[in-house]
Protein backbone atom coordinates (compact mmCIF):
# COMPACT_ATOMS: atom_id res chain seq x y z
CA UNK A 1 0.00 0.00 0.00
CA UNK A 2 1.17 3.52 -0.79
CA UNK A 3 2.06 5.91 1.95
CA UNK A 4 -0.12 9.00 2.02
CA UNK A 5 1.21 11.68 -0.32
CA UNK A 6 0.98 15.30 0.70
CA UNK A 7 2.24 18.47 -0.93
CA UNK A 8 4.89 19.99 1.30
CA UNK A 9 5.79 23.65 1.13
CA UNK A 10 9.51 24.29 1.25
CA UNK A 11 11.53 27.47 1.42
CA UNK A 12 12.38 27.17 -2.28
CA UNK A 13 9.58 25.26 -3.97
CA UNK A 14 6.75 22.83 -3.51
CA UNK A 15 7.49 19.13 -3.49
CA UNK A 16 5.67 15.90 -2.85
CA UNK A 17 6.20 14.12 0.47
CA UNK A 18 5.19 10.49 0.98
CA UNK A 19 5.30 9.11 4.52
CA UNK A 20 6.56 5.57 3.97
CA UNK A 21 6.60 4.75 7.68
CA UNK A 22 2.83 4.26 7.48
CA UNK A 23 3.46 1.11 5.49
CA UNK A 24 5.06 -0.61 8.49
CA UNK A 25 3.03 -2.04 11.34
CA UNK A 26 6.02 -3.67 13.05
CA UNK A 27 9.55 -2.30 13.24
CA UNK A 28 8.08 1.09 12.29
CA UNK A 29 10.77 3.66 11.52
CA UNK A 30 11.08 6.89 13.47
CA UNK A 31 11.19 8.71 10.12
CA UNK A 32 10.87 7.31 6.61
CA UNK A 33 9.79 10.00 4.16
CA UNK A 34 10.21 10.19 0.40
CA UNK A 35 10.37 13.62 -1.22
CA UNK A 36 9.95 14.08 -4.97
CA UNK A 37 9.88 17.27 -7.06
CA UNK A 38 6.38 16.45 -8.32
CA UNK A 39 3.81 13.67 -8.35
CA UNK A 40 4.88 12.16 -11.67
CA UNK A 41 6.39 8.71 -11.76
CA UNK A 42 9.33 9.86 -13.86
CA UNK A 43 12.29 7.77 -12.63
CA UNK A 44 14.68 9.88 -10.59
CA UNK A 45 17.87 9.28 -8.66
CA UNK A 46 17.27 9.51 -4.92
CA UNK A 47 19.56 10.42 -2.03
CA UNK A 48 18.63 8.49 1.14
CA UNK A 49 19.82 10.56 4.09
CA UNK A 50 20.27 8.61 7.34
CA UNK A 51 19.21 11.11 10.01
CA UNK A 52 21.42 9.91 12.86
CA UNK A 53 23.72 11.76 15.23
CA UNK A 54 25.56 9.86 17.95
CA UNK A 55 23.78 6.78 16.51
CA UNK A 56 20.39 8.07 17.69
CA UNK A 57 17.73 10.04 15.85
CA UNK A 58 18.25 13.68 14.95
CA UNK A 59 15.45 16.09 14.12
CA UNK A 60 14.45 15.48 10.50
CA UNK A 61 14.02 19.24 10.07
CA UNK A 62 17.82 19.54 10.26
CA UNK A 63 18.04 18.26 6.70
CA UNK A 64 15.23 20.32 5.17
CA UNK A 65 17.91 22.38 3.42
CA UNK A 66 19.22 19.27 1.65
CA UNK A 67 15.74 18.03 0.71
CA UNK A 68 14.89 21.46 -0.71
CA UNK A 69 18.07 21.60 -2.77
CA UNK A 70 17.80 18.06 -4.13
CA UNK A 71 14.16 18.40 -5.19
CA UNK A 72 14.85 21.83 -6.68
CA UNK A 73 17.47 20.14 -8.86
CA UNK A 74 15.09 17.36 -9.93
CA UNK A 75 16.43 14.69 -7.61
CA UNK A 76 14.48 12.78 -4.98
CA UNK A 77 15.31 12.54 -1.29
CA UNK A 78 14.55 10.05 1.46
CA UNK A 79 14.96 10.99 5.12
CA UNK A 80 15.25 7.88 7.28
CA UNK A 81 15.81 7.02 10.91
CA UNK A 82 15.08 3.52 12.14
CA UNK A 83 16.56 1.54 14.98
CA UNK A 84 19.15 3.36 17.06
CA UNK A 85 21.77 2.41 19.66
CA UNK A 86 19.01 2.79 22.26
CA UNK A 87 17.21 -0.16 20.61
CA UNK A 88 20.00 -2.42 19.36
CA UNK A 89 23.71 -2.59 18.52
CA UNK A 90 25.56 -1.52 15.37
CA UNK A 91 24.65 -4.76 13.61
CA UNK A 92 20.93 -4.31 14.25
CA UNK A 93 21.02 -0.70 13.02
CA UNK A 94 22.76 -1.59 9.75
CA UNK A 95 20.46 -4.56 9.14
CA UNK A 96 17.45 -2.27 9.63
CA UNK A 97 18.84 0.24 7.11
CA UNK A 98 19.55 -2.50 4.59
CA UNK A 99 15.99 -3.81 4.88
CA UNK A 100 14.63 -0.34 4.09
CA UNK A 101 16.97 -0.05 1.09
CA UNK A 102 15.47 -3.29 -0.21
CA UNK A 103 11.97 -1.90 0.40
CA UNK A 104 12.78 1.14 -1.76
CA UNK A 105 14.26 -1.02 -4.50
CA UNK A 106 11.26 -3.36 -4.47
CA UNK A 107 8.91 -0.38 -4.84
CA UNK A 108 11.10 1.61 -7.21
CA UNK A 109 8.65 1.68 -10.13
CA UNK A 110 5.77 2.55 -7.79
CA UNK A 111 7.55 5.62 -6.42
CA UNK A 112 9.60 6.61 -9.46
CA UNK A 113 12.99 5.69 -7.98
CA UNK A 114 15.90 4.90 -10.28
CA UNK A 115 19.22 4.92 -8.41
CA UNK A 116 19.72 5.13 -4.64
CA UNK A 117 22.62 7.04 -3.06
CA UNK A 118 23.15 6.82 0.69
CA UNK A 119 24.08 9.86 2.75
CA UNK A 120 24.34 11.08 6.33
CA UNK A 121 26.47 13.13 8.66
CA UNK A 122 28.82 11.88 11.40
CA UNK A 123 27.18 8.72 12.81
CA UNK A 124 24.74 8.79 9.88
CA UNK A 125 27.67 8.89 7.47
CA UNK A 126 29.28 5.98 9.31
CA UNK A 127 26.08 3.97 8.84
CA UNK A 128 25.74 4.99 5.19
CA UNK A 129 29.29 3.84 4.42
CA UNK A 130 28.79 0.59 6.32
CA UNK A 131 25.52 -0.19 4.56
CA UNK A 132 27.21 0.46 1.20
CA UNK A 133 30.63 -1.09 1.83
CA UNK A 134 29.88 -4.09 4.05
CA UNK A 135 27.18 -5.67 1.90
CA UNK A 136 29.04 -9.00 1.90
CA UNK A 137 30.08 -8.98 5.57
CA UNK A 138 28.50 -12.04 7.25
CA UNK A 139 28.06 -10.13 10.54
CA UNK A 140 25.47 -7.89 8.87
CA UNK A 141 23.69 -10.64 6.94
CA UNK A 142 19.90 -10.46 7.05
CA UNK A 143 17.74 -13.51 6.45
CA UNK A 144 16.96 -13.87 2.76
CA UNK A 145 18.87 -10.77 1.59
CA UNK A 146 21.81 -11.08 -0.80
CA UNK A 147 24.65 -8.60 -1.26
CA UNK A 148 23.23 -7.68 -4.66
CA UNK A 149 19.82 -6.86 -3.17
CA UNK A 150 21.25 -4.37 -0.68
CA UNK A 151 23.68 -2.81 -3.16
CA UNK A 152 23.40 0.96 -3.60
CA UNK A 153 24.73 3.28 -6.29
CA UNK A 154 26.94 5.55 -4.21
CA UNK A 155 27.57 7.34 -0.92
CA UNK A 156 27.74 11.03 0.01
CA UNK A 157 29.29 11.14 3.48
CA UNK A 158 29.42 14.32 5.58
CA UNK A 159 32.19 14.32 8.24
CA UNK A 160 32.05 10.52 8.64
CA UNK A 161 33.31 8.26 11.40
CA UNK A 162 35.42 5.84 9.35
CA UNK A 163 37.58 4.20 12.04
CA UNK A 164 35.89 3.46 15.37
CA UNK A 165 39.07 2.25 17.08
CA UNK A 166 40.95 5.39 16.05
CA UNK A 167 38.10 7.61 17.23
CA UNK A 168 37.80 5.87 20.57
CA UNK A 169 41.48 6.19 21.42
CA UNK A 170 41.80 9.68 19.92
CA UNK A 171 39.35 11.03 22.47
CA UNK A 172 39.63 8.69 25.47
CA UNK A 173 43.44 8.39 25.69
CA UNK A 174 44.07 12.13 26.10
CA UNK A 175 44.49 13.74 29.46
CA UNK A 176 43.24 17.28 30.01
CA UNK A 177 46.79 18.57 29.65
CA UNK A 178 47.17 16.83 26.29
CA UNK A 179 44.04 18.35 24.78
CA UNK A 180 44.52 20.94 22.06
CA UNK A 181 42.48 24.12 21.69
CA UNK A 182 40.44 22.31 19.03
CA UNK A 183 39.74 19.44 21.43
CA UNK A 184 38.53 21.85 24.09
CA UNK A 185 36.35 23.66 21.58
CA UNK A 186 34.77 20.35 20.60
CA UNK A 187 34.09 19.51 24.24
CA UNK A 188 32.50 22.91 24.81
CA UNK A 189 30.16 22.65 21.84
CA UNK A 190 29.43 18.99 22.46
CA UNK A 191 28.41 19.51 26.08
CA UNK A 192 25.73 21.98 25.02
CA UNK A 193 23.65 19.38 23.21
CA UNK A 194 24.86 15.92 24.22
CA UNK A 195 21.89 13.70 25.06
CA UNK A 196 24.07 11.79 27.50
CA UNK A 197 24.72 14.91 29.54
CA UNK A 198 28.46 14.43 29.02
CA UNK A 199 30.84 17.31 29.61
CA UNK A 200 33.38 16.05 27.06
CA UNK A 201 33.54 14.00 23.89
CA UNK A 202 35.70 11.49 25.78
CA UNK A 203 32.98 10.85 28.36
CA UNK A 204 30.35 10.58 25.68
CA UNK A 205 32.48 8.13 23.67
CA UNK A 206 32.46 5.74 26.62
CA UNK A 207 28.68 5.96 26.99
CA UNK A 208 28.01 5.63 23.26
CA UNK A 209 30.32 2.67 22.77
CA UNK A 210 28.78 0.91 25.76
CA UNK A 211 25.35 0.90 24.09
CA UNK A 212 26.50 0.63 20.47
CA UNK A 213 29.43 -1.78 20.73
CA UNK A 214 29.14 -3.32 24.19
CA UNK A 215 32.04 -1.55 25.87
CA UNK A 216 35.63 -0.50 25.31
CA UNK A 217 37.74 -2.33 22.69
CA UNK A 218 39.79 -3.88 25.52
CA UNK A 219 36.74 -5.61 27.02
CA UNK A 220 35.53 -9.07 26.05
CA UNK A 221 35.07 -9.63 22.32
CA UNK A 222 34.07 -6.01 21.68
CA UNK A 223 37.13 -5.22 19.56
CA UNK A 224 35.57 -7.21 16.73
CA UNK A 225 32.54 -4.89 16.80
CA UNK A 226 34.83 -1.87 16.59
CA UNK A 227 36.47 -3.40 13.55
CA UNK A 228 33.27 -4.24 11.67
CA UNK A 229 31.76 -0.84 12.50
CA UNK A 230 34.70 0.88 10.76
CA UNK A 231 34.02 1.46 7.03
CA UNK A 232 37.75 1.73 6.29
CA UNK A 233 38.01 -2.03 7.04
CA UNK A 234 35.85 -2.84 3.99
CA UNK A 235 37.71 -1.07 1.20
CA UNK A 236 37.83 -2.89 -2.12
CA UNK A 237 37.51 -2.19 -5.81
CA UNK A 238 33.85 -3.17 -5.53
CA UNK A 239 32.69 -0.36 -3.24
CA UNK A 240 30.33 2.12 -4.93
CA UNK A 241 31.23 5.70 -5.95
CA UNK A 242 31.97 7.73 -2.84
CA UNK A 243 31.99 11.46 -2.08
CA UNK A 244 33.58 12.39 1.26
CA UNK A 245 32.98 15.86 2.73
CA UNK A 246 34.72 17.13 5.86
CA UNK A 247 36.22 20.21 7.45
CA UNK A 248 39.94 20.21 8.18
CA UNK A 249 39.27 21.58 11.69
CA UNK A 250 36.67 19.03 12.72
CA UNK A 251 36.66 18.97 16.52
CA UNK A 252 34.30 16.01 16.95
CA UNK A 253 35.37 13.54 14.27
CA UNK A 254 39.09 13.41 13.41
CA UNK A 255 39.87 14.49 9.86
CA UNK A 256 42.96 12.29 9.37
CA UNK A 257 41.24 8.88 9.07
CA UNK A 258 38.83 10.24 6.46
CA UNK A 259 41.70 11.64 4.38
CA UNK A 260 43.58 8.35 4.73
CA UNK A 261 40.53 6.36 3.62
CA UNK A 262 40.12 8.58 0.57
CA UNK A 263 43.76 8.07 -0.38
CA UNK A 264 43.35 4.30 -0.02
CA UNK A 265 40.23 4.37 -2.21
CA UNK A 266 42.25 6.21 -4.84
CA UNK A 267 44.98 3.56 -4.67
CA UNK A 268 42.31 0.93 -5.32
CA UNK A 269 41.17 2.96 -8.34
CA UNK A 270 37.71 3.39 -6.82
CA UNK A 271 35.51 6.22 -8.09
CA UNK A 272 36.05 8.46 -5.05
CA UNK A 273 36.16 12.21 -4.42
CA UNK A 274 36.87 14.25 -1.33
CA UNK A 275 35.90 17.84 -0.57
CA UNK A 276 38.17 19.21 2.15
CA UNK A 277 36.77 22.37 3.75
CA UNK A 278 39.54 24.53 5.24
CA UNK A 279 39.02 25.87 8.77
CA UNK A 280 35.60 24.20 9.01
CA UNK A 281 34.24 22.33 12.01
CA UNK A 282 31.89 19.41 12.53
CA UNK A 283 28.20 19.70 11.54
CA UNK A 284 28.84 22.91 9.62
CA UNK A 285 25.65 22.32 7.61
CA UNK A 286 23.40 22.25 10.68
CA UNK A 287 23.98 25.92 11.54
CA UNK A 288 21.92 28.36 9.42
CA UNK A 289 22.45 26.26 6.27
CA UNK A 290 20.37 28.51 4.01
CA UNK A 291 22.70 31.45 4.62
CA UNK A 292 25.98 29.54 4.94
CA UNK A 293 28.55 30.13 2.21
CA UNK A 294 30.23 26.82 3.04
CA UNK A 295 27.00 24.83 2.91
CA UNK A 296 25.98 26.44 -0.38
CA UNK A 297 29.36 25.46 -1.83
CA UNK A 298 28.88 21.89 -0.59
CA UNK A 299 25.39 21.69 -2.13
CA UNK A 300 26.74 22.90 -5.44
CA UNK A 301 29.46 20.23 -5.34
CA UNK A 302 26.95 17.51 -4.44
CA UNK A 303 24.78 18.40 -7.42
CA UNK A 304 27.81 18.38 -9.71
CA UNK A 305 28.80 14.98 -8.34
CA UNK A 306 25.28 13.57 -8.79
CA UNK A 307 25.03 15.01 -12.31
CA UNK A 308 28.34 13.37 -13.15
CA UNK A 309 27.14 9.99 -11.91
CA UNK A 310 23.63 10.31 -13.27
CA UNK A 311 22.74 7.96 -16.09
CA UNK A 312 19.37 7.13 -17.68
CA UNK A 313 19.73 3.32 -17.51
Amino acid sequence: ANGEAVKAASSQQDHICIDLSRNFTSNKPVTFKLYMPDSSKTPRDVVMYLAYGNWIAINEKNVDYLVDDLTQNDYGAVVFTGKTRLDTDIIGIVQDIREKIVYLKNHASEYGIRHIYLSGGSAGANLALLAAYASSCPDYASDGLTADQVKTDGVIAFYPVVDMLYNYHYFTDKTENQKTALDKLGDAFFSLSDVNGSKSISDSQKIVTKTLLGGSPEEGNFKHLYEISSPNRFLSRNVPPTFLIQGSDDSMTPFEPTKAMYENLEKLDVDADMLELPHTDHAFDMVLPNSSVVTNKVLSCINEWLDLHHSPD
Side-chain angles (χ1 to χ4, degrees), residues 54 56 85-86 190-191 193-201 203-209 211:
N54 232 328
I56 59 174
R85 65 176 172 83
L86 304 180
F190 198 77
S191 64
S193 59
D194 182 39
V195 295
N196 302 314
S198 303
K199 298 301 181 185
S200 70
I201 300 176
D203 290 344
S204 182
Q205 279 278 324
K206 295 170 185 176
I207 296 172
V208 169
T209 53
T211 56

Side-chain angles (χ1 to χ4, degrees), residues 2 37 45 51 68 71 102 129 153 168 246 279 307:
N2 282 334
D45 291 351
D68 287 349
T71 53
V102 172
L129 288 165
D153 298 285
Y168 182 86
Q246 189 165 1
H279 313 300
D307 290 346

Side-chain angles (χ1 to χ4, degrees), residues 19-34 46-52 77-84 87-88 91-108 111 113 115-118 127 131-132 140 142-143 145-146 148-152:
D19 188 352
L20 302 178
S21 67
R22 301 185 182 197
N23 298 332
F24 297 85
T25 54
S26 61
N27 192 20
K28 188 173 182 177
V30 176
T31 303
F32 195 14
K33 293 181 180 177
L34 169 67
V46 170
V47 175
M48 181 178 179
Y49 188 94
L50 306 180
Y52 292 81
V78 171
V79 181
F80 173 79
T81 316
K83 291 180 179 179
T84 75
D87 310 307
T88 184
I91 293 173
I93 298 173
V94 173
Q95 287 176 331
D96 186 39
I97 292 166
R98 285 164 51 138
E99 288 165 8
K100 302 310 183 293
I101 292 169
V102 172
Y103 174 86
L104 291 174
K105 293 174 79 169
N106 288 343
H107 293 82
Y111 295 126
I113 295 171
H115 298 134
I116 299 173
Y117 298 88
L118 294 179
L127 295 169
Y140 293 116
S142 301
D143 289 343
L145 298 184
T146 65
D148 190 59
Q149 285 177 297
V150 300
K151 182 180 178 181
T152 52

Side-chain angles (χ1 to χ4, degrees), residues 121-265:
S122 195
N126 166 264
L127 295 169
L129 288 165
L130 284 175
Y133 284 17
S135 58
S136 297
C137 177
D139 293 280
Y140 293 116
S142 301
D143 289 343
L145 298 184
T146 65
D148 190 59
Q149 285 177 297
V150 300
K151 182 180 178 181
T152 52
D153 298 285
V155 188
I156 302 169
F158 293 75
Y159 36 90
V161 181
V162 302
D163 190 326
M164 293 290 276
L165 274 169
Y166 183 101
N167 268 42
Y168 182 86
H169 288 297
Y170 180 88
F171 290 111
T172 62
D173 289 356
K174 288 182 181 177
T175 66
E176 280 299 315
N177 290 336
Q178 291 173 322
K179 287 185 178 181
T180 66
L182 192 62
D183 293 327
K184 293 176 181 178
L185 179 65
D187 285 345
F189 282 126
F190 198 77
S191 64
L192 296 175
S193 59
D194 182 39
V195 295
N196 302 314
S198 303
K199 298 301 181 185
S200 70
I201 300 176
S202 173
D203 290 344
S204 182
Q205 279 278 324
K206 295 170 185 176
I207 296 172
V208 169
T209 53
K210 184 73 174 177
T211 56
L212 185 72
L213 304 171
S216 77
E218 288 78 25
E219 296 179 71
N221 193 36
F222 300 142
K223 185 176 180 181
H224 176 68
L225 287 175
Y226 280 80
E227 291 171 346
I228 66 166
S229 62
S230 300
N232 65 354
R233 301 300 178 105
F234 296 100
L235 304 189
S236 74
R237 287 184 171 84
N238 298 321
V239 300
T242 301
F243 188 18
L244 303 169
I245 303 165
Q246 189 165 1
S248 60
D249 290 346
D250 194 320
S251 61
M252 298 185 193
T253 298
F255 174 78
E256 290 75 14
T258 307
K259 185 68 177 288
M261 189 176 88
Y262 167 65
E263 292 170 350
N264 287 329
L265 287 170

